[in-house]
């Protein structure tokens, strides 16, 4: 079989198998429940199927580009572990309130590093064939803009990544918001999906986080307050239970509608 060239560096052969499109730490909770180690996948016809791991894909990356993703993911696996337990890490996180909305301020996180990570998710989903069913595809120009940014700035080891991050320039400039639920629910883990809501809005539902990503200026003024487009401290609104469920319900109906409309 003729293997393609690595999607990231566009130089080496894409010989890596089992590349995660979404890092494991943003989905593993889905597979741990009282009912067993599985999750329910809803396919394009609305049919449900048990799955045991989150999607992987062969031959999209070379070994060293896979390693570069692994380096930044290792960093963010630790970050997300703390974020899930933010009340016990007051050195890292502040809680502030605007109106009646609580939000987290990440005091020790370099915003450039966070953008590198978020863009790595947005880009991988776009090049993956697994999410093509959900019509998740960035315009070619933006996909290439993110690719060159990632290729230039993802490093092969932790020390180089951290020591060069402050010099990173020409960061692609997009609105994106990360939302976290206030509580955990024993009977509802959350959803694991990615799809394009409209021409300019992309959504990632990552079990206990939801990310909205915009490729133009169409962000809702209320959400705009929580956008991380600027290079300030990263902020994360905390969603009350009722709103979190409403948001998940909306996502599910969007997924099913998208699927129905293709029939
Ligand atoms: Zn490569």
């Amino acid at each position: 079989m003729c293997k393609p060239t690595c999607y990231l560096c566009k130089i080496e052969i894409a010989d890596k198998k089992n590349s995660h499109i979404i890092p494991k730490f943003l989905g593993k909770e889905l597979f741990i429940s009282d009912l067993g180690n599985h999750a329910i996948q809803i396919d394009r016809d609305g049919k449900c199927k048990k799955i045991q791991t989150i999607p992987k894909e062969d031959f999209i990356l070379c070994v060293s580009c896979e390693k570069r993703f692994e380096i930044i993911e290792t960093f963010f696996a630790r970050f997300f572990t703390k974020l899930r337990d933010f009340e016990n890490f007051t050195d890292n996180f502040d809680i502030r309130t605007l109106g009646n909305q609580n939000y987290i301020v990440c005091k020790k996180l370099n915003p450039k590093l966070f953008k590198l990570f978020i863009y790595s998710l947005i880009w991988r989903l776009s090049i993956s064939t697994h999410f093509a069913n959900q019509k998740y595809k960035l315009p070619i120009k933006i996909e290439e803009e993110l690719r060159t940014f990632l290729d230039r700035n993802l490093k092969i080891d932790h020390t180089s990544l951290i020591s060069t991050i402050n010099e990173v320039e020409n960061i692609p400039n997009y609105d994106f918001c990360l939302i976290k639920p206030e509580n955990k629910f024993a009977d509802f883990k959350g959803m694991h999906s990615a799809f394009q809501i409209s021409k300019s809005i992309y959504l990632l539902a990552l079990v206990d986080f939801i990310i909205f990503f915009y490729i133009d200026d169409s962000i809702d003024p209320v959400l705009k307050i929580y956008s991380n487009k600027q290079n300030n401290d990263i902020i994360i609104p905390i969603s009350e239970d009722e709103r979190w469920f409403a948001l998940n319900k909306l996502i599910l109906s969007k997924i099913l509608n998208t699927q129905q409309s293709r029939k």
Side-chain angles (χ1 to χ4, degrees):
M1 183 189 158
C2 180
K3 290 172 193 159
T5 307
C6 171
Y7 280 67
L8 183 62
C9 64
K10 289 193 162 177
I11 297 169
E12 304 295 328
I13 300 292
D15 46 5
K16 185 75 188 68
K17 289 181 102 175
N18 292 326
S19 291
H20 281 107
I21 304 303
I22 297 172
K24 254 201 295 200
F25 67 88
L26 290 173
K28 67 179 178 194
E29 294 223 340
L30 203 57
F31 301 95
I32 307 162
S33 86
D34 297 341
L35 300 170
N37 297 331
H38 70 265
I40 304 298
Q41 177 175 282
I42 304 171
D43 73 12
R44 58 190 307 175
D45 299 319
K47 285 187 193 137
C48 296
K49 188 175 101 179
K50 277 187 188 179
I51 53 166
Q52 244 138 24
T53 62
I54 53 176
K56 291 175 201 158
E57 204 158 323
D58 294 339
F59 310 130
I60 52 172
L61 296 173
C62 69
V63 172
S64 67
C65 288
E66 173 85 9
K67 178 77 185 163
R68 295 198 285 162
F69 281 118
E70 200 186 299
I71 294 294
I72 193 162
E73 280 166 20
T74 306
F75 179 92
F76 278 98
R78 281 190 219 115
F79 170 80
F80 276 89
T81 302
K82 287 184 181 170
L83 179 59
R84 287 186 172 107
D85 193 19
F86 64 92
E87 281 145 325
N88 290 321
F89 290 96
T90 49
D91 280 357
N92 299 71
F93 307 107
D94 263 350
I95 315 301
R96 293 190 200 153
T97 307
L98 185 68
N100 53 9
Q101 176 66 57
N102 291 333
Y103 64 98
I104 301 170
V105 180
C106 307
K107 292 189 286 185
K108 287 188 174 173
L109 176 64
N110 185 317
K112 291 181 176 182
L113 193 59
F114 192 63
K115 284 185 181 172
L116 198 56
F117 175 68
I118 294 294
Y119 293 165
S120 82
L121 293 176
I122 302 290
W123 178 79
R124 262 182 295 176
L125 285 157
S126 184
I127 60 139
S128 160
T129 54
H130 185 85
F131 290 90
N133 282 351
Q134 266 114 287
K135 289 187 174 171
Y136 184 112
K137 189 70 182 166
L138 293 167
I140 297 298
K141 207 177 141 202
I142 295 177
E143 196 177 276
E144 180 59 13
E145 180 193 22
L146 296 187
R147 184 196 71 80
T148 48
F149 174 70
L150 295 170
D151 188 36
R152 209 170 43 232
N153 297 303
L154 286 172
K155 304 292 176 192
I156 201 79
D157 63 78
H158 178 78
T159 312
S160 337
L161 179 69
I162 300 303
S163 65
T164 56
I165 194 69
N166 283 323
E167 295 151 23
V168 169
E169 283 177 349
N170 301 321
I171 305 172
N173 213 9
Y174 295 102
D175 281 306
F176 69 91
C177 298
L178 175 66
I179 302 171
K180 186 191 174 313
E182 192 168 19
N183 295 303
K184 277 191 172 188
F185 312 99
D187 52 350
F188 177 71
K189 296 286 176 191
M191 289 202 277
H192 197 264
S193 186
F195 62 99
Q196 202 172 334
I197 298 184
S198 67
K199 212 167 133 251
S200 51
I201 311 173
Y202 295 73
L203 185 140
L204 279 66
L206 303 169
V207 190
D208 53 350
F209 293 97
I210 290 176
I211 298 171
F212 286 94
F213 181 80
Y214 299 79
I215 57 167
D216 61 15
D217 292 328
S218 65
I219 186 167
D220 175 287
V222 178
L223 261 184
K224 177 81 183 167
I225 300 168
Y226 302 100
S227 168
N228 289 296
K229 188 175 186 176
Q230 309 307 324
N231 281 321
N232 302 325
D233 282 344
I234 297 297
I235 54 173
I236 303 167
I238 305 172
S239 172
E240 289 166 1
D241 296 358
E242 209 172 302
R243 259 202 237 163
W244 183 255
F245 280 118
L247 193 53
N248 276 277
K249 226 171 138 181
L250 182 78
I251 294 169
L252 187 61
S253 70
K254 286 264 183 191
I255 294 172
L256 293 173
N257 277 338
T258 314
Q259 286 158 344
Q260 291 300 326
S261 68
R262 265 198 307 266
K263 277 186 178 175

